[in-house]
Amino acid sequence: MTFVGDYVGRDVRRGTGGAGGGQPPVRMCDAPAKVTLRALLAQNMNRLGLTTAAVETLVAHARISGYRAGQAVFAPTDSDHLVHFLIRGAVRITCEMGSGTMTVRIVRPGQFFSLASLFDHPEPRKFGAVAHEAALVALISHEAMRQVLMALPPANALTLVSSTWRVLLRLLFDKCAYLMAPLRERVTRALELLAQDFGTPHERGVLIDLPLTHHDVAELAVASRANVSRCLSAMRREGRLDVEGRRFILVRH
């Protein structure tokens, strides 16, 4: 079973939520984060095939960990015995490309983002994850995730498994399509995908509420930094793009 950034709630960019009645107590140091974790999981539990009991099991077994911007959450050489869920911040999913590293995607709060096979022995991961900005992550053991899956009704378990594979296949399709598209189209598509996950309304269009460099966009667009910088400059001259600090604005026409 593979988790690659499953969508679990759009309107919780910074992770806010409230506790519901009848929920089990959590340790005081984890309480605020676990309240948010419960809210994020509950928002789309029907779409993911989770039940209320499954959500509570995940929350009860989750260990909360914080990461500084630039700090590795896990490396490709790490054993994949944990499933990760982003509560707050942003995380880059990376893979090794020759002598360098490429960003596959940037994950927003409310997503599972580790690759973990629940039915195989732990083995080195194919991907790594690095905090793009300060991040708060829930770590759930392989065994706890397997228990949740096995306790689900068959139809729910199928929904959970199939939803993770749809995300993986879509990611694979997008990356393959990038390789055949012109540079301008790849850069535009990369920015549009970021806007879907991190976009907030702005008087001139949509603000991508995430600090980004030209190098970040180049990795997502599968292109060189120099070429992407020229493309972004051209888009700014044409009035299609603006920048506030390290945040991009897709200008409305």
Side-chain angles (χ1 to χ4, degrees):
M1 180 174 178
T2 301
F3 293 94
V4 192
D6 301 334
Y7 181 80
V8 191
R10 269 189 107 75
D11 303 322
V12 285
R13 166 80 174 95
R14 298 300 174 184
T16 57
Q23 297 169 336
V26 297
R27 293 181 300 168
M28 290 303 295
C29 60
D30 288 344
K34 287 203 169 185
V35 167
T36 304
L37 172 62
R38 179 180 287 107
L40 289 169
L41 289 170
Q43 279 192 4
N44 270 346
M45 67 178 188
N46 290 335
R47 189 190 62 79
L48 286 175
L50 296 175
T51 61
T52 300
V55 169
E56 293 303 332
T57 299
L58 292 175
V59 172
H61 284 84
R63 176 167 58 87
I64 310 300
S65 183
Y67 298 86
R68 302 182 305 275
Q71 183 178 2
V73 179
F74 57 79
T77 54
D78 292 343
S79 179
D80 63 351
H81 64 284
L82 291 173
V83 173
H84 298 74
F85 183 88
L86 185 59
I87 299 173
R88 187 175 299 120
V91 169
R92 296 195 306 271
I93 304 302
T94 64
C95 67
E96 301 298 324
M97 296 289 292
S99 59
T101 301
M102 183 185 76
T103 298
V104 178
R105 67 172 298 175
I106 300 179
V107 176
R108 58 168 174 72
Q111 294 179 310
F112 289 109
F113 62 88
S114 57
L115 293 169
S117 172
L118 298 182
F119 303 104
D120 298 326
H121 294 294
E123 59 182 13
R125 300 176 184 273
K126 305 301 188 295
F127 292 81
V130 178
H132 184 79
E133 57 180 355
L136 197 62
V137 178
L139 288 71
I140 303 166
S141 72
H142 227 186
E143 183 58 33
M145 201 70 204
R146 187 184 293 111
Q147 289 176 11
V148 166
L149 183 64
M150 295 306 179
L152 288 173
N156 294 62
L158 180 61
T159 297
L160 179 58
V161 172
S162 64
S163 68
T164 63
W165 280 105
R166 284 197 299 270
V167 175
L168 177 61
L169 292 174
R170 181 64 194 183
L171 179 61
L172 179 62
F173 172 82
D174 285 342
K175 289 302 177 184
C176 290
Y178 279 163
L179 298 177
M180 298 180 288
L183 175 64
R184 178 67 169 267
E185 184 177 332
R186 299 205 304 271
V187 171
T188 300
R189 179 60 175 163
L191 293 174
E192 288 175 344
L193 289 174
L194 288 169
Q196 288 180 17
D197 283 342
F198 297 96
T200 60
H202 189 277
E203 60 183 359
R204 296 195 299 279
V206 178
L207 170 72
I208 300 174
D209 189 14
L210 185 73
L212 294 167
T213 65
H214 288 194
H215 179 72
D216 293 329
V217 179
E219 288 194 341
L220 290 168
V222 194
S224 71
R225 183 189 181 283
N227 287 338
V228 167
S229 292
R230 285 191 287 271
C231 182
L232 293 172
S233 295
M235 293 174 70
R236 293 184 68 179
R237 289 194 300 271
E238 296 165 6
R240 296 178 177 274
L241 184 70
D242 204 351
V243 178
E244 287 186 356
R246 292 179 57 197
R247 285 165 166 75
F248 290 93
I249 301 169
L250 299 182
V251 179
R252 182 190 304 109
H253 295 286

